[in-house]
Amino acid sequence: MTAALALGDDALVLSHRLGEWAGHAPVLEEEVALANIALDLLGQARVLLSLVGDEDELAYLREERAFRNVQLVEQPNGDFAHTITRQLYFSTYQRLLYERLASGDGPFAELAAKAVKEVAYHQDHAEHWTLRLGDGTEESRARMQRATDALWRFTGELFEPVEGIDIDWTALDGDWLESVSAVLERATLTPPAGPRSGAWAAGAGRQGVHTEPFGRMLAEMQHLHRSHPGASW
């Protein structure tokens, strides 16, 4: 299922990125919060990938070009502001998408209905930190503005139609833009004016084209499994 692979890969890759904060988060409480979000996403990924095939093989034995995640989720953590901005952009999209899927009777309705509450928490967490950092010190605001600008060009790909998901993608895009812009403005940040789609924007992850950092991340994620094929715990 094309859609299950796309949504599963989104969740899997972002889960790994957030897991990279273990031992490195700015405060212990935030390390726990990011780890919990990562585990939520990993749980979603396992359900979605199991609809396609063996979840371990799909996660650990596919080559880079076989992954169908959007390029946004594979972007490096950067500083804490960068991670929070990436999470704000993605969790807002994911909540709006899951709400639509949960209200229908398609193959993802049950998963979406269960996951939408945890995704709403992910969004609330990201919004809280966006407001705290954006309306904080001069340094924190500058870092948040740089992050919102840098990641903006990756957001257009979120709303490219995915085979197997029958929703109004244009309306989803509009709702996302309204929600994210409102949060940025409340945080005294300027919503980026750069392109989100087209020649100057990023986005071909759904077609298996990924950015350079993804290859390094994938090698790290798959190293243990590939080094000990067939091993069991």
Side-chain angles (χ1 to χ4, degrees):
M1 298 173 65
T2 301
L5 195 61
L7 299 183
D9 285 349
D10 285 346
L12 175 67
V13 172
L14 185 54
S15 172
H16 185 84
R17 279 298 190 208
L18 291 173
E20 291 174 344
W21 275 105
H24 302 284
V27 293
L28 179 59
E29 182 180 9
E30 196 53 32
E31 182 167 317
V32 173
L34 293 175
N36 283 334
I37 294 173
L39 287 173
D40 286 343
L41 291 168
L42 183 60
Q44 295 170 22
R46 293 189 63 184
V47 173
L48 288 160
L49 294 180
S50 68
L51 297 175
V52 182
D54 183 279
E55 60 190 77
D56 286 338
E57 290 186 5
L58 289 169
Y60 299 122
L61 296 179
R62 274 185 296 162
E63 300 297 331
E64 179 179 330
R65 291 297 298 267
F67 279 79
R68 292 295 180 262
N69 58 278
V70 292
Q71 292 180 355
L72 173 66
V73 297
E74 68 194 40
Q75 297 311 300
N77 289 326
D79 62 14
F80 189 62
H82 202 92
T83 290
I84 290 300
T85 300
R86 184 187 62 200
Q87 195 63 41
L88 174 69
Y89 289 169
F90 182 76
S91 60
T92 302
Y93 149 79
Q94 199 179 37
R95 180 185 65 80
L96 292 168
L97 174 63
Y98 278 7
E99 285 178 347
R100 285 164 166 79
L101 294 178
S103 66
D105 57 0
F108 306 113
E110 183 177 357
L111 164 71
K114 292 179 179 178
V116 71
K117 290 183 178 180
E118 62 189 25
V119 171
Y121 162 73
H122 303 171
Q123 181 183 357
D124 182 70
H125 175 268
E127 289 185 0
H128 166 79
W129 275 106
T130 299
L131 296 172
R132 185 173 177 180
L133 297 174
D135 198 22
T137 67
E138 182 178 341
E139 175 66 18
S140 69
R141 184 185 182 282
R143 286 174 180 255
M144 281 301 297
Q145 189 65 61
R146 286 197 297 270
T148 59
D149 292 342
L151 292 172
W152 192 251
R153 70 192 187 97
F154 293 100
T155 60
E157 185 184 13
L158 294 169
F159 308 101
E160 294 179 0
V162 176
E163 182 183 348
I165 299 180
D166 185 19
I167 62 170
D168 186 337
W169 291 92
T170 301
L172 179 65
D173 188 2
D175 289 347
W176 178 92
L177 186 59
E178 180 180 357
S179 179
V180 167
S181 296
V183 174
L184 295 179
E185 289 170 2
R186 286 172 57 205
T188 71
L189 298 168
T190 303
R196 298 173 51 239
S197 61
W200 296 103
R206 294 287 191 232
Q207 289 75 50
V209 179
H210 299 283
T211 55
E212 182 179 353
F214 181 64
R216 296 192 295 271
M217 189 217 81
L218 192 63
E220 179 183 84
M221 187 178 81
Q222 295 182 338
H223 172 71
L224 184 62
H225 188 91
R226 287 177 178 266
S227 297
H228 303 280
S232 60
W233 297 97

